[in-house]
Amino acid sequence: MTQELNDGLPAREAALTLIDAALSRRGGLDEAASANGFRFLEPRERAFARALAMAVLRHLGPIDRALAARLQKAPPDRVMHLLRLGAAQAFHLEVPAFAAVATSVELAGANKASRPFKGLVNAVLRGLLRDAPPSDDPTLLAPPWLYSRWVAAFGEATARQIAAQIALEPATDLSLKPGADAAALAETLEGEVLPGGTLRLRRKGDVAAWPGFEDGSWWVQDAAAAVPARLLDVKAGEAVLDLCAAPGGKTLQLAAAGASVVALDRSAARLKRLEENLVRTGLQAEVVAADGATWEDTRTFDAILLDAPCSATGTFRRHPDVLWAARPGDVASLANVQARILDSAAGRLKPGGRLVYCVCSLEPEEGEAQVEAFLARRPDMALDPIQPGEGGAAGFPGASLTARGALRLLPHQLDGGQDGFFAARFRKAS
C-alpha cells in the first residue's frame, strides 16, 4: 500500500467508530465525534472522517441493498461497516476504486475481529464496484418504517420529495445579529440572504475562521429553526422564557430582540455552548439548568418559546444518523414528554401571554396531534393562527401553512432545503 493510502487510515478508522456509534444508538455520531480519540486527529483527518461517515449515513439504504445482493448472510458489524465505507468512498466521495478497496481490506486486517473477513471485503467490494453505482431511490433512503409513516402523513409524492433530501449535503445557514450588514456579509461570505433574513452559504471549513464569527455578527442556525422565535414577535423589555433552550440559537434571537430572556435546559453540558455564544455575540440571558416540566420557579412570562424534545426526524439533512437511531416506539414516548412540558409552559405564562410550541420532527403525533390534545386539556389556551402575511418576515414558505394556522415546514419546501419543523402559536386567556 502506498504511503498516501496509509496516511488516510486513521481517518477511515475514526469514520468506522462514528458509523458504529450512529447505528448502534450508543450516544450518536455527534457524541462520538467529541470523544478524545476523534479530537486528537489532525483537523484535515477529522473533516475527512466525518465526511466519510456522513456519506455512508446519507446513502445507507441503497448501499445496504446493493451489498445484500452480494452477501449470503450478514457479517459482523465491523465488517459490514467496512463494506459500507468502501462503497461510499467510491460511489459518493470520488475516491479511486482501488483506494476504496485497498484501505477497507487493510482496515479489516488491522483488527482481530475482522481479520478473517479480509477476503470477503476484497471480493464483495471489487464485485460491487464493477457495477453501476446504487441508485439513490428516495424510497430506500429512509428506514422503511419511517418512510411508511411519511407516506401515511403526507402522501406518496410528498414522502418521496422529503426522502430525496436525505442524500443531499446541506448548505450552512446563519442568523445575523441586529445591526450586522447583511449585504456586506453575503458578499464577503459568498452567500445569499433568504426571506426572513437568514444568510445561506455553500462555504466549507471551520466556521470559527469565517469573517464575522469572532465579533459575534452571526451564529449558525438552520433557516427553518429560526422561524419559531420570529413567530413569537417579542418586544424589548418583555420577560421571555426559552424552554429546552440548548444549543441556543433561539435564545440568541430572543435576546437580540431586546427581551429579558431566561434560557432553560436540563443539560448543563449543552448549555455551555449557549453561554459561549452569548459571550461571543455580546448578548444577555439568564441561563438555568433544570427540567422544564418540573422547574421550581414561580415567575411568569410575557412570552414562552418551547422547542420540545422530539424524535428530531426533521434534522436528517445535517444529522442523517437520527433516521437510523430512531425506533417506532420513540415517537409515542416523546409525545408524552412534550405534553408534560407544554402544560408546564402554559402555567408559567401571564394572562394574555404568547406561547410558541415547536419540534424539529416530521411526525404528526409530535405536531398536529399534540396541538389538538393540548387545546382539549387547556381551555385557558387558544390557538393564535399564523397568518400568510407573516411569511416574509418570519421566513417560512407559503406551502408550509396549515389550514389550522400552524406551520408544517417540510425539507423540500425551500429551495436548497431546510430542516423539517412543526410550529404552532397559542395565546393565554386574559
Side-chain angles (χ1 to χ4, degrees):
M1 182 177 292
T2 67
Q3 184 62 42
E4 180 182 358
L5 294 183
N6 275 309
D7 288 344
L9 289 178
R12 289 173 168 90
E13 185 65 54
L16 290 175
T17 301
L18 296 181
I19 295 164
D20 185 62
L23 298 181
S24 63
R25 306 187 88 196
R26 290 187 296 100
L29 187 145
D30 282 341
E31 185 174 320
S34 64
N36 285 342
F38 188 82
R39 290 190 291 110
F40 289 155
L41 292 173
E42 294 294 323
R44 181 176 58 85
E45 291 179 315
R46 282 201 304 272
F48 185 42
R50 190 174 184 90
L52 288 167
M54 294 295 272
V56 168
L57 295 169
R58 286 196 176 105
H59 305 276
L60 185 64
I63 286 174
D64 276 6
R65 186 175 188 179
L67 289 172
R70 292 184 170 274
L71 292 167
Q72 292 183 348
K73 63 179 182 178
D77 285 349
R78 177 180 169 85
V79 177
M80 192 67 189
H81 297 335
L82 280 166
L83 292 170
R84 290 162 170 158
L85 190 62
Q89 288 178 75
F91 291 139
H92 302 293
L93 290 178
E94 300 180 354
V95 172
F98 80 91
V101 174
T103 53
S104 298
V105 172
E106 184 77 6
L107 289 170
N111 181 279
K112 182 170 66 174
S114 56
R115 195 172 298 137
F117 296 89
K118 282 180 64 175
L120 176 73
V121 170
N122 182 64
V124 169
L125 286 179
R126 285 185 181 279
L128 189 67
L129 297 180
R130 284 195 293 267
D131 299 336
S135 170
D136 276 335
D137 179 349
T139 66
L140 300 177
L141 286 168
W145 72 271
L146 197 51
Y147 184 79
S148 295
R149 287 180 61 89
W150 297 347
V151 171
F154 308 115
E156 179 71 44
T158 298
R160 288 182 67 90
Q161 289 176 296
I162 292 170
Q165 295 286 321
I166 297 170
L168 306 179
E169 185 176 358
T172 299
D173 292 342
L174 309 179
S175 287
L176 306 185
K177 186 177 176 181
D181 190 330
L185 280 170
E187 183 175 356
T188 300
L189 294 168
E190 299 177 335
E192 61 171 325
V193 181
L194 302 179
T198 291
L199 183 59
R200 171 158 289 183
L201 316 176
R202 288 292 173 186
R203 193 183 184 106
K204 307 291 183 186
D206 181 7
V207 298
W210 295 356
F213 179 87
E214 287 293 338
D215 60 15
S217 295
W218 49 262
W219 55 92
V220 176
Q221 186 177 28
D222 187 82
V227 171
R230 297 179 190 141
L231 295 175
L232 204 56
D233 192 26
V234 300
K235 304 295 189 294
E238 283 190 315
V240 179
L241 174 62
D242 185 5
L243 273 172
C244 310
K250 298 176 183 68
T251 296
L252 298 177
Q253 288 179 278
L254 299 170
S260 176
V261 182
V262 175
L264 183 143
D265 197 278
R266 67 183 301 173
S267 171
R270 295 184 75 223
L271 284 172
K272 288 181 181 178
R273 181 177 167 191
L274 189 157
E275 291 173 319
E276 291 169 357
N277 276 319
L278 286 170
V279 171
R280 181 175 64 84
T281 58
L283 297 170
Q284 302 292 321
E286 177 187 344
V287 179
V288 178
D291 188 324
T294 59
W295 182 38
E296 295 181 357
D297 193 297
T298 59
R299 283 178 287 179
T300 55
F301 298 86
D302 298 300
I304 297 176
L305 177 59
L306 169 55
D307 185 355
C310 68
S311 61
T313 52
T315 67
F316 64 68
R317 295 165 59 252
R318 298 180 213 288
H319 306 285
D321 52 310
V322 302
L323 300 175
W324 304 98
R327 297 294 183 269
D330 296 348
V331 175
S333 62
L334 286 163
N336 291 331
V337 173
Q338 294 149 13
R340 291 199 301 272
I341 304 177
L342 256 173
D343 286 339
S344 174
R348 302 178 193 280
L349 203 58
K350 293 179 180 178
R354 291 116 48 215
L355 166 65
V356 167
Y357 166 77
C358 66
V359 284
C360 52
S361 166
L362 295 169
E363 314 315 310
E365 296 93 327
E366 300 179 273
E368 292 87 347
Q370 194 67 259
V371 166
E372 299 307 326
F374 177 61
L375 292 173
R377 290 194 309 273
R378 300 292 307 220
D380 58 333
M381 299 295 296
L383 194 64
D384 181 8
I386 300 161
Q387 303 300 321
E390 296 182 58
F396 62 82
S400 65
L401 193 60
T402 73
R404 286 278 272 155
L407 289 184
R408 171 54 75 186
L409 294 150
L410 298 177
H412 67 284
Q413 289 173 335
L414 184 66
D415 187 29
Q418 63 181 354
D419 281 354
F421 256 86
F422 176 87
R425 186 171 59 199
F426 305 92
R427 191 172 292 272
K428 192 169 188 177
S430 298

